[in-house]
Amino acid sequence: MNSQTSPQTPRHKPIKKAVFPVAGLGTRFLPATKAIPKELLPIVDRPLIQYAVDEAREAGIEQIIFVTGRGKTAIVEHFDIAFELETTMNERGKDLSVLDPTRATPGDIITVRQQVPMGLGHAIWCARAIVGDDPFAILLPDELMVANRDGGPGCMKQMVEAYNEVGGNLISVLEVPMEDVSSYGVIAPGAQVSDTLTEVTGLVEKPPVEQAPSNKIISGRYILQAEVMRTLEGQEKGAGGEIQLTDAMAKMIGSQPFHAVTFSGRRFDCGSKTGFVEATLALALEREDMGEEVRAIARRLVC
């Protein structure tokens, strides 16, 4: 075996850092999000941010970087040790294993502030000092990515596996009806590398349907090289008067490898109320401890 491609000598610098933009105000969920960060709203019994962090950990991510805003300290507290709670549960003989995923190893979670809401690109740029010169992942917690019902790896793990093959920059994509593309970032596809891997020749943020280069939308998961931070440094405002990550990535196409990974799984848009309800219902139906009861409730409600 060639030593340059052996497991002991990876071809590409590993992905060990992930940025989570969690500074948004959650105005679409008011009044629920007046005092509670939207990322802590639960899908059944796990908050949205927990699903995203678990997905990152499955993919081998070791350092979690939260880009927060004012009023978002509860997100970090969720991953801290709750001494009073755990002590009380322990004294009462309660099982503490349910809290295991919420306990972060000291130093694994780092937070930075996005002091002014200037868009996703600006939020990512706020993490530049922590990212340094390393490639890194980005996970948008509003986009709940769930593996297929028959199992298999999560979205970020699928992306890391693709990255280990081709390196460079990768984005997760899903196919949507053409009439829906104006709500998303859309890729211009190039050569088909494999069943799930496509070269990217261009990116457009929220294009009119008649100008969209495809129906493959960017779905909230990225692996990017550190050079994107230098691009964001001078990035002008784009769609919505915000600094768009899509615009910065588009400038990098042609100078670095850029691929799209078609996610084998399901996406729920939990940034919308209907998507949030859909995710809650879908995941509740799959739970062994409540699926049948929830199914019966749903039948009663729709009859």
Side-chain angles (χ1 to χ4, degrees):
M1 179 182 292
N2 188 316
S3 61
Q4 292 187 347
T5 59
S6 69
Q8 291 75 26
T9 311
R11 294 172 52 205
H12 311 291
K13 198 170 184 180
I15 306 299
K16 296 299 180 183
K17 298 178 180 180
V19 177
F20 296 74
V22 292
L25 298 175
T27 54
R28 283 186 285 181
F29 282 87
L30 286 171
T33 50
K34 180 180 178 181
I36 300 172
K38 65 177 180 177
E39 294 83 6
L40 289 181
L41 296 178
I43 301 296
V44 187
D45 54 8
R46 263 202 298 172
L48 275 171
I49 190 64
Q50 184 71 63
Y51 285 94
V53 168
D54 290 347
E55 179 187 333
R57 286 170 170 165
E58 179 199 20
I61 302 295
E62 297 176 354
Q63 192 170 63
I64 305 299
I65 305 165
F66 290 144
V67 181
T68 68
R70 286 176 290 278
K72 293 297 190 99
T73 56
I75 295 174
V76 179
E77 291 172 2
H78 174 75
F79 294 96
D80 199 354
I81 293 175
F83 179 78
E84 294 84 357
L85 172 64
E86 296 187 22
T87 299
T88 301
M89 289 180 66
N90 189 55
E91 290 174 348
R92 296 177 180 178
K94 300 287 187 179
D95 182 12
L96 295 176
S97 61
V98 69
L99 298 176
D100 288 346
T102 70
R103 297 191 189 99
T105 303
D108 283 356
I109 290 181
I110 298 174
T111 64
V112 296
R113 280 286 181 98
Q114 183 186 24
Q115 296 172 315
V116 181
M118 294 177 59
L120 176 58
H122 180 261
I124 300 306
W125 179 78
C126 289
R128 64 197 181 282
I130 305 170
V131 168
D133 294 326
D134 295 323
F136 64 103
I138 301 172
L139 296 93
L140 308 188
D142 282 359
E143 302 277 347
L144 177 56
M145 310 294 274
V146 181
N148 284 320
R149 295 178 181 86
D150 56 358
C155 184
M156 185 51 63
K157 187 171 183 179
Q158 291 180 29
M159 293 185 67
V160 168
E161 290 173 351
Y163 169 83
N164 290 337
E165 294 180 16
V166 297
N169 304 275
L170 295 98
I171 52 180
S172 170
V173 297
L174 292 168
E175 293 186 357
V176 299
M178 203 66 192
E179 59 266 25
D180 295 339
V181 295
S182 59
S183 298
Y184 304 96
V186 180
I187 72 162
Q192 192 74 28
V193 179
S194 67
D195 290 343
T196 60
L197 197 60
T198 308
E199 287 185 355
V200 176
T201 61
L203 298 169
V204 184
E205 183 67 27
K206 299 180 180 179
V209 173
E210 62 276 9
Q211 298 177 20
S214 76
N215 67 334
K216 292 187 175 184
I217 65 164
I218 303 170
S219 55
R221 299 294 185 270
Y222 314 76
I223 291 176
L224 299 177
Q225 298 297 312
E227 283 78 5
V228 73
M229 295 298 189
R230 264 84 76 185
T231 304
L232 287 168
E233 183 82 38
Q235 182 66 41
E236 297 180 355
K237 294 180 179 179
E242 298 181 333
I243 297 176
Q244 296 289 348
L245 179 63
T246 301
D247 294 340
M249 292 191 299
K251 291 181 179 179
M252 298 168 64
I253 294 174
S255 62
Q256 294 184 349
F258 225 110
H259 294 84
V261 179
T262 301
F263 173 48
S264 177
R266 294 166 290 161
R267 165 191 174 268
F268 299 97
D269 178 11
C270 292
S272 72
K273 295 175 185 177
T274 53
F276 188 90
V277 172
E278 180 186 9
T280 301
L281 181 59
L283 270 60
L285 287 170
E286 295 174 12
R287 290 270 294 258
E288 292 183 1
D289 61 337
M290 65 173 67
E292 286 305 316
E293 186 176 356
V294 172
R295 188 168 286 104
I297 292 171
R299 291 194 187 101
R300 291 199 301 270
L301 291 175
V302 299
C303 289

